[in-house]
Amino acid sequence: MTQRIFKAEGLVLRTRILGEADRLVTLITWEEGKFEAVARGARKTKSKLAAGVDLFTHGWFTFHRGRTWPIITGQDTIERFPRFRDTPDLYAYGLYLAELTDRLVSGEEKCVEICQLLLEGWKLLDGDVDRTLLCRGFELKLTASAGYSPHLHSCVNCGAESTAGFSPSQGGLLCSRCQRADLIKVKPGTLALARRLIEAPLSQIKMLRATDWQKKELSSIIMAFFAYQLDLGEIKSRRFLKD
Amino acid sequence: MAYPVSLKKLVDVLCRFPGIGQKTAQRLAFYLLGCSREDVIAIARAMVEAKDRLTFCVICGSLAEAESCSYCSDPGRDQSLLCVVQEPRDVLVLERTGQYRGLYHVLHGALSPLDGIGPEELKLDQLVRRVEDKNVGEVIVATNPNVEGDATAAYIAMLLKPLASRVTRIAFGLPVGGDIEYADDLTLSRSLEGRREI
């Protein structure tokens, strides 16, 4: 991001009111990574930018490098997700994916894989899908893309294939000899599901079936992993999800 | 630049206003210095008086100087019509049109999970109770036309549809005086959806 004027394909993760009529927009872009930019006058009814910098927008953005933040000077929408506006549940799920991405991605570095993952997550949400399972799949794939994937194939300490459970502090599975106080027991079916969710494309979520128990187990290990390994703190939008 | 202490204090205080930077604060400070003592006292008194006297109406949540606001206590207003808005200032904007003669309900925000604002943080329970208790024929949802406002409107519709006879959303369309050429695609498509016969 060295040129004065630059263009990037991106997704709007968050918007905040800035000053009288501006918006501070958090974007994740394919080539320039995650950053904040100002949409001048975007709160005004006559603003041409207003709709283009709204949440859940996928588009091309043109920026002018400002003193503090880049200033959005133009926008072309590729896709927006109108059902997210009209369905409160979808709105909460869409925001959850956005917030998680926002919290996990820290800087202005190329993040093609993460952008594609979020876009695919939003597209799947917009269709007929098990939303809870999609969220679990998204969480696992996002952590893997960001380089923090939990170790789910063997004991993270000694490499033993037979494992006793998941240890958030160790970031993976532990065998009965290496087990620690924070061990969470996980059924083999849940582990197989977690591995599948990490390895398979997100779109295959539609083909996967999971029991309520498996979803609950997955959720508890992922949340414990997030809390211990990633120090994400409270993910505010999570309390609005129906699971 | 070395300001006299009292001038610096005034500039610093004025800087706290939204959108007011050092230069504007300085200009305002010099304007106040140019005013008569009576005018300055009147300005200061108006600020303190507004702060002391204004509260929120216990019925609708808009600004009031008594327990209930001037709209809720006006028997001439259409009691069967309720307009739901996000902020108290939105009431003043709608009143400026002179077109609306019903009552209001102020939510004091919109659903925004990223800011920790959920249904419990908004005045939605009061809204449901009002619609249940009073004979409300139509609820007009006039939240902002952005994602948060639209999601809030959808949530309100879900809550009120079984209670009120009509739940409507304010129309979306082109701003008066603007050119179609400069309109964004979402506004244009919504204005086509909401077109009316002439």
Side-chain angles (χ1 to χ4, degrees):
Chain A
M1 227 181 359
T2 47
Q3 302 120 306
R4 259 188 104 65
I5 294 168
F6 63 101
K7 202 173 173 185
E9 182 183 1
L11 305 164
V12 178
L13 298 179
R14 185 175 189 174
T15 72
R16 273 170 286 176
I17 290 170
L18 183 74
E20 286 291 295
D22 304 344
R23 279 195 184 277
L24 186 61
V25 185
T26 308
L27 289 146
I28 185 160
T29 62
W30 268 249
E31 296 298 323
E32 313 286 347
K34 193 190 90 177
F35 58 93
E36 289 179 324
V38 178
R40 290 247 165 97
R43 293 180 63 211
K44 291 182 181 169
T45 49
K46 286 191 183 182
S47 166
K48 201 186 169 189
L49 274 181
V53 296
D54 221 349
L55 264 166
F56 311 124
T57 302
H58 169 212
W60 278 96
F61 299 83
T62 313
F63 305 89
H64 184 273
R65 225 157 152 53
R67 254 180 290 175
T68 319
W69 293 290
I71 295 155
I72 302 174
T73 51
Q75 193 275 346
D76 282 312
T77 303
I78 299 170
E79 194 169 9
R80 50 180 114 242
F81 298 88
R83 280 186 67 217
F84 290 11
R85 292 169 169 261
D86 306 331
T87 321
D89 284 353
L90 275 182
Y91 169 61
Y93 278 95
L95 267 186
Y96 176 66
L97 303 193
E99 187 182 6
L100 208 58
T101 310
D102 188 12
R103 301 284 287 277
L104 220 61
V105 179
S106 52
E108 294 175 13
E109 52 195 52
K110 211 170 168 174
C111 46
V112 177
E113 204 181 328
I114 292 175
C115 284
Q116 275 164 349
L117 183 69
L118 178 60
L119 183 60
E120 193 172 10
W122 281 348
K123 281 180 181 173
L124 286 167
L125 259 185
D126 205 17
D128 183 23
V129 72
D130 179 338
R131 291 173 196 166
T132 309
L133 196 58
L134 174 69
C135 286
R136 299 299 85 84
F138 183 83
E139 286 158 357
L140 287 168
K141 287 193 84 67
L142 183 67
T143 46
S145 302
Y148 307 107
S149 192
H151 188 85
L152 296 175
H153 286 277
S154 55
C155 173
V156 71
N157 266 2
C158 68
E161 284 198 3
S162 166
T163 54
F166 183 84
S167 164
S169 64
Q170 297 301 296
L173 298 173
L174 287 180
C175 65
S176 50
R177 275 192 300 175
C178 302
Q179 66 176 291
R180 293 178 175 233
D182 68 342
L183 198 84
I184 303 169
K185 297 258 183 212
V186 194
K187 288 189 173 156
T190 310
L191 278 180
L193 178 68
R195 285 187 212 115
R196 186 76 198 272
L197 286 172
I198 293 180
E199 286 155 15
L202 199 61
S203 56
Q204 284 201 7
I205 289 275
K206 286 183 191 167
M207 288 179 258
L208 295 177
R209 294 286 171 270
T211 63
D212 287 347
W213 175 257
Q214 286 175 328
K215 287 183 211 167
K216 212 173 158 187
E217 262 193 340
L218 258 184
S219 178
S220 66
I221 62 168
I222 294 170
M223 282 307 112
F225 178 77
F226 278 0
Y228 204 98
Q229 297 289 333
L230 306 179
D231 196 21
L232 287 184
E234 189 201 1
I235 301 162
K236 288 178 179 167
S237 54
R238 195 178 164 86
R239 79 175 171 103
F240 299 95
L241 304 184
K242 280 190 172 169
D243 61 66
Chain B
M1 193 199 303
Y3 283 112
V5 177
S6 53
L7 179 62
K8 186 179 182 320
K9 200 171 157 187
L10 180 59
V11 170
D12 288 347
V13 168
L14 291 169
C15 269
R16 291 190 206 166
F17 286 90
I20 304 282
Q22 191 77 16
K23 274 187 188 168
T24 313
Q26 202 176 305
R27 262 199 300 275
L28 290 172
F30 278 107
Y31 167 76
L32 287 171
L33 291 178
C35 290
S36 67
R37 193 169 189 278
E38 289 72 31
D39 284 348
V40 175
I41 290 171
I43 291 168
R45 200 168 276 160
M47 284 189 203
V48 176
E49 209 173 286
K51 183 69 192 162
D52 288 347
R53 291 181 62 178
L54 286 172
T55 177
F56 295 118
C57 170
V58 290
I59 303 167
C60 72
S62 61
L63 287 171
E65 284 194 333
E67 200 168 272
S68 63
C69 65
S70 54
Y71 315 115
C72 289
S73 48
D74 180 358
R77 295 189 84 101
D78 186 347
Q79 308 284 319
S80 68
L81 203 56
L82 198 62
C83 181
V84 181
V85 294
Q86 275 182 220
E87 301 294 341
R89 58 177 172 262
D90 298 338
V91 172
L92 305 176
V93 177
L94 280 163
E95 276 301 298
R96 220 165 51 202
T97 65
Q99 297 278 313
Y100 181 71
R101 293 295 301 156
L103 301 175
Y104 294 97
H105 189 88
V106 185
L107 297 173
H108 290 269
L111 291 177
S112 180
L114 293 183
D115 301 310
I117 302 173
E120 298 81 25
E121 280 71 35
L122 303 177
K123 308 261 179 214
L124 288 170
D125 284 349
Q126 292 93 319
L127 173 64
V128 171
R129 273 202 301 276
R130 270 184 95 181
V131 174
E132 268 174 346
D133 297 348
K134 311 280 176 198
N135 193 21
V136 177
E138 182 179 353
V139 177
I140 305 166
V141 186
T143 50
N144 287 337
N146 51 30
V147 173
E148 290 90 345
D150 283 348
T152 310
Y155 189 81
I156 290 172
M158 201 175 71
L159 289 178
L160 298 185
K161 278 262 167 81
L163 307 174
S165 57
R166 276 184 89 198
V167 181
T168 54
R169 181 87 169 103
I170 46 161
F172 299 104
L174 299 165
V176 176
D179 282 16
I180 285 184
E181 185 189 349
Y182 294 106
D184 65 273
D185 56 335
L186 185 61
T187 307
L188 260 179
S189 63
R190 286 194 166 191
S191 60
L192 283 169
E193 277 167 24
R195 69 188 184 278
R196 62 191 175 94
E197 209 172 314
I198 47 172

PDB file of all heavy atoms in Angstrom, chain A residues 31-49:
ATOM      1  N   GLU A  31      -5.641  -8.333  -1.552  1.00  0.00           N
ATOM      2  CA  GLU A  31      -4.223  -8.040  -1.761  1.00  0.00           C
ATOM      3  C   GLU A  31      -3.572  -7.212  -0.656  1.00  0.00           C
ATOM      4  O   GLU A  31      -2.382  -7.303  -0.431  1.00  0.00           O
ATOM      5  CB  GLU A  31      -4.031  -7.309  -3.103  1.00  0.00           C
ATOM      6  CG  GLU A  31      -4.416  -8.142  -4.322  1.00  0.00           C
ATOM      7  CD  GLU A  31      -3.561  -9.404  -4.482  1.00  0.00           C
ATOM      8  OE1 GLU A  31      -2.361  -9.349  -4.190  1.00  0.00           O
ATOM      9  OE2 GLU A  31      -4.119 -10.450  -4.881  1.00  0.00           O
ATOM     10  N   GLU A  32      -4.363  -6.366   0.026  1.00  0.00           N
ATOM     11  CA  GLU A  32      -3.766  -5.426   0.986  1.00  0.00           C
ATOM     12  C   GLU A  32      -4.021  -5.806   2.436  1.00  0.00           C
ATOM     13  O   GLU A  32      -3.627  -5.089   3.354  1.00  0.00           O
ATOM     14  CB  GLU A  32      -4.292  -3.998   0.740  1.00  0.00           C
ATOM     15  CG  GLU A  32      -4.289  -3.539  -0.700  1.00  0.00           C
ATOM     16  CD  GLU A  32      -2.883  -3.210  -1.206  1.00  0.00           C
ATOM     17  OE1 GLU A  32      -1.975  -3.109  -0.378  1.00  0.00           O
ATOM     18  OE2 GLU A  32      -2.723  -3.088  -2.427  1.00  0.00           O
ATOM     19  N   GLY A  33      -4.740  -6.899   2.677  1.00  0.00           N
ATOM     20  CA  GLY A  33      -5.011  -7.333   4.048  1.00  0.00           C
ATOM     21  C   GLY A  33      -6.123  -6.540   4.712  1.00  0.00           C
ATOM     22  O   GLY A  33      -6.959  -5.947   4.036  1.00  0.00           O
ATOM     23  N   LYS A  34      -6.072  -6.520   6.037  1.00  0.00           N
ATOM     24  CA  LYS A  34      -7.142  -5.848   6.788  1.00  0.00           C
ATOM     25  C   LYS A  34      -6.700  -4.447   7.199  1.00  0.00           C
ATOM     26  O   LYS A  34      -5.585  -4.269   7.679  1.00  0.00           O
ATOM     27  CB  LYS A  34      -7.463  -6.658   8.046  1.00  0.00           C
ATOM     28  CG  LYS A  34      -8.752  -6.240   8.728  1.00  0.00           C
ATOM     29  CD  LYS A  34      -8.906  -6.897  10.075  1.00  0.00           C
ATOM     30  CE  LYS A  34      -8.303  -6.046  11.151  1.00  0.00           C
ATOM     31  NZ  LYS A  34      -8.474  -6.563  12.506  1.00  0.00           N
ATOM     32  N   PHE A  35      -7.567  -3.476   7.000  1.00  0.00           N
ATOM     33  CA  PHE A  35      -7.255  -2.105   7.436  1.00  0.00           C
ATOM     34  C   PHE A  35      -8.537  -1.303   7.559  1.00  0.00           C
ATOM     35  O   PHE A  35      -9.600  -1.739   7.131  1.00  0.00           O
ATOM     36  CB  PHE A  35      -6.260  -1.419   6.479  1.00  0.00           C
ATOM     37  CG  PHE A  35      -6.725  -1.333   5.048  1.00  0.00           C
ATOM     38  CD1 PHE A  35      -7.399  -0.219   4.595  1.00  0.00           C
ATOM     39  CD2 PHE A  35      -6.480  -2.386   4.161  1.00  0.00           C
ATOM     40  CE1 PHE A  35      -7.824  -0.136   3.271  1.00  0.00           C
ATOM     41  CE2 PHE A  35      -6.904  -2.312   2.845  1.00  0.00           C
ATOM     42  CZ  PHE A  35      -7.581  -1.187   2.399  1.00  0.00           C
ATOM     43  N   GLU A  36      -8.413  -0.132   8.168  1.00  0.00           N
ATOM     44  CA  GLU A  36      -9.569   0.754   8.315  1.00  0.00           C
ATOM     45  C   GLU A  36      -9.450   1.892   7.316  1.00  0.00           C
ATOM     46  O   GLU A  36      -8.341   2.350   7.027  1.00  0.00           O
ATOM     47  CB  GLU A  36      -9.633   1.321   9.736  1.00  0.00           C
ATOM     48  CG  GLU A  36     -10.032   0.280  10.764  1.00  0.00           C
ATOM     49  CD  GLU A  36     -10.081   0.832  12.172  1.00  0.00           C
ATOM     50  OE1 GLU A  36      -9.247   1.682  12.518  1.00  0.00           O
ATOM     51  OE2 GLU A  36     -10.973   0.409  12.927  1.00  0.00           O
ATOM     52  N   ALA A  37     -10.594   2.312   6.790  1.00  0.00           N
ATOM     53  CA  ALA A  37     -10.590   3.424   5.835  1.00  0.00           C
ATOM     54  C   ALA A  37     -11.803   4.309   6.107  1.00  0.00           C
ATOM     55  O   ALA A  37     -12.809   3.848   6.657  1.00  0.00           O
ATOM     56  CB  ALA A  37     -10.642   2.878   4.413  1.00  0.00           C
ATOM     57  N   VAL A  38     -11.682   5.567   5.711  1.00  0.00           N
ATOM     58  CA  VAL A  38     -12.773   6.517   5.967  1.00  0.00           C
ATOM     59  C   VAL A  38     -13.649   6.675   4.734  1.00  0.00           C
ATOM     60  O   VAL A  38     -13.139   6.855   3.635  1.00  0.00           O
ATOM     61  CB  VAL A  38     -12.205   7.896   6.369  1.00  0.00           C
ATOM     62  CG1 VAL A  38     -13.325   8.906   6.594  1.00  0.00           C
ATOM     63  CG2 VAL A  38     -11.353   7.780   7.609  1.00  0.00           C
ATOM     64  N   ALA A  39     -14.957   6.577   4.942  1.00  0.00           N
ATOM     65  CA  ALA A  39     -15.907   6.870   3.864  1.00  0.00           C
ATOM     66  C   ALA A  39     -16.519   8.229   4.216  1.00  0.00           C
ATOM     67  O   ALA A  39     -17.385   8.314   5.088  1.00  0.00           O
ATOM     68  CB  ALA A  39     -16.973   5.790   3.788  1.00  0.00           C
ATOM     69  N   ARG A  40     -16.012   9.264   3.566  1.00  0.00           N
ATOM     70  CA  ARG A  40     -16.450  10.632   3.879  1.00  0.00           C
ATOM     71  C   ARG A  40     -17.921  10.834   3.501  1.00  0.00           C
ATOM     72  O   ARG A  40     -18.334  10.501   2.395  1.00  0.00           O
ATOM     73  CB  ARG A  40     -15.596  11.641   3.126  1.00  0.00           C
ATOM     74  CG  ARG A  40     -14.186  11.721   3.650  1.00  0.00           C
ATOM     75  CD  ARG A  40     -13.946  13.082   4.308  1.00  0.00           C
ATOM     76  NE  ARG A  40     -12.739  13.055   5.110  1.00  0.00           N
ATOM     77  CZ  ARG A  40     -11.551  13.480   4.686  1.00  0.00           C
ATOM     78  NH1 ARG A  40     -11.441  13.974   3.482  1.00  0.00           N
ATOM     79  NH2 ARG A  40     -10.509  13.445   5.483  1.00  0.00           N
ATOM     80  N   GLY A  41     -18.695  11.365   4.424  1.00  0.00           N
ATOM     81  CA  GLY A  41     -20.097  11.712   4.161  1.00  0.00           C
ATOM     82  C   GLY A  41     -21.009  10.513   3.947  1.00  0.00           C
ATOM     83  O   GLY A  41     -22.132  10.668   3.465  1.00  0.00           O
ATOM     84  N   ALA A  42     -20.539   9.321   4.338  1.00  0.00           N
ATOM     85  CA  ALA A  42     -21.322   8.107   4.037  1.00  0.00           C
ATOM     86  C   ALA A  42     -22.632   8.022   4.814  1.00  0.00           C
ATOM     87  O   ALA A  42     -23.475   7.189   4.504  1.00  0.00           O
ATOM     88  CB  ALA A  42     -20.482   6.868   4.295  1.00  0.00           C
ATOM     89  N   ARG A  43     -22.813   8.863   5.823  1.00  0.00           N
ATOM     90  CA  ARG A  43     -24.082   8.814   6.577  1.00  0.00           C
ATOM     91  C   ARG A  43     -25.136   9.733   5.960  1.00  0.00           C
ATOM     92  O   ARG A  43     -26.291   9.711   6.368  1.00  0.00           O
ATOM     93  CB  ARG A  43     -23.836   9.211   8.036  1.00  0.00           C
ATOM     94  CG  ARG A  43     -22.986   8.193   8.779  1.00  0.00           C
ATOM     95  CD  ARG A  43     -22.770   8.606  10.194  1.00  0.00           C
ATOM     96  NE  ARG A  43     -24.014   8.662  10.946  1.00  0.00           N
ATOM     97  CZ  ARG A  43     -24.234   9.497  11.957  1.00  0.00           C
ATOM     98  NH1 ARG A  43     -23.320  10.347  12.323  1.00  0.00           N
ATOM     99  NH2 ARG A  43     -25.378   9.471  12.594  1.00  0.00           N
ATOM    100  N   LYS A  44     -24.711  10.527   5.000  1.00  0.00           N
ATOM    101  CA  LYS A  44     -25.669  11.455   4.377  1.00  0.00           C
ATOM    102  C   LYS A  44     -26.533  10.700   3.380  1.00  0.00           C
ATOM    103  O   LYS A  44     -26.040   9.792   2.693  1.00  0.00           O
ATOM    104  CB  LYS A  44     -24.926  12.589   3.673  1.00  0.00           C
ATOM    105  CG  LYS A  44     -24.242  13.524   4.644  1.00  0.00           C
ATOM    106  CD  LYS A  44     -23.576  14.654   3.899  1.00  0.00           C
ATOM    107  CE  LYS A  44     -22.865  15.573   4.882  1.00  0.00           C
ATOM    108  NZ  LYS A  44     -21.996  16.529   4.206  1.00  0.00           N
ATOM    109  N   THR A  45     -27.811  11.105   3.269  1.00  0.00           N
ATOM    110  CA  THR A  45     -28.729  10.371   2.392  1.00  0.00           C
ATOM    111  C   THR A  45     -28.312  10.457   0.922  1.00  0.00           C
ATOM    112  O   THR A  45     -28.613   9.575   0.143  1.00  0.00           O
ATOM    113  CB  THR A  45     -30.169  10.887   2.528  1.00  0.00           C
ATOM    114  OG1 THR A  45     -30.135  12.299   2.432  1.00  0.00           O
ATOM    115  CG2 THR A  45     -30.801  10.447   3.821  1.00  0.00           C
ATOM    116  N   LYS A  46     -27.638  11.540   0.561  1.00  0.00           N
ATOM    117  CA  LYS A  46     -27.268  11.679  -0.848  1.00  0.00           C
ATOM    118  C   LYS A  46     -25.895  11.082  -1.163  1.00  0.00           C
ATOM    119  O   LYS A  46     -25.408  11.204  -2.282  1.00  0.00           O
ATOM    120  CB  LYS A  46     -27.294  13.154  -1.251  1.00  0.00           C
ATOM    121  CG  LYS A  46     -28.709  13.687  -1.387  1.00  0.00           C
ATOM    122  CD  LYS A  46     -28.743  15.051  -2.029  1.00  0.00           C
ATOM    123  CE  LYS A  46     -30.167  15.572  -2.079  1.00  0.00           C
ATOM    124  NZ  LYS A  46     -30.276  16.862  -2.725  1.00  0.00           N
ATOM    125  N   SER A  47     -25.275  10.453  -0.179  1.00  0.00           N
ATOM    126  CA  SER A  47     -23.946   9.904  -0.419  1.00  0.00           C
ATOM    127  C   SER A  47     -23.995   8.728  -1.383  1.00  0.00           C
ATOM    128  O   SER A  47     -24.808   7.819  -1.244  1.00  0.00           O
ATOM    129  CB  SER A  47     -23.334   9.431   0.903  1.00  0.00           C
ATOM    130  OG  SER A  47     -22.215   8.630   0.655  1.00  0.00           O
ATOM    131  N   LYS A  48     -23.084   8.759  -2.343  1.00  0.00           N
ATOM    132  CA  LYS A  48     -23.007   7.675  -3.314  1.00  0.00           C
ATOM    133  C   LYS A  48     -22.297   6.465  -2.709  1.00  0.00           C
ATOM    134  O   LYS A  48     -22.426   5.342  -3.168  1.00  0.00           O
ATOM    135  CB  LYS A  48     -22.238   8.176  -4.544  1.00  0.00           C
ATOM    136  CG  LYS A  48     -22.524   7.369  -5.779  1.00  0.00           C
ATOM    137  CD  LYS A  48     -21.641   7.799  -6.919  1.00  0.00           C
ATOM    138  CE  LYS A  48     -21.754   6.795  -8.049  1.00  0.00           C
ATOM    139  NZ  LYS A  48     -20.779   7.021  -9.084  1.00  0.00           N
ATOM    140  N   LEU A  49     -21.557   6.730  -1.634  1.00  0.00           N
ATOM    141  CA  LEU A  49     -20.787   5.658  -1.007  1.00  0.00           C
ATOM    142  C   LEU A  49     -21.590   4.864   0.017  1.00  0.00           C
ATOM    143  O   LEU A  49     -21.247   3.734   0.331  1.00  0.00           O
ATOM    144  CB  LEU A  49     -19.575   6.264  -0.279  1.00  0.00           C
ATOM    145  CG  LEU A  49     -18.306   6.522  -1.043  1.00  0.00           C
ATOM    146  CD1 LEU A  49     -17.266   7.097  -0.100  1.00  0.00           C
ATOM    147  CD2 LEU A  49     -17.767   5.235  -1.659  1.00  0.00           C
TER     148      LEU A  49
END
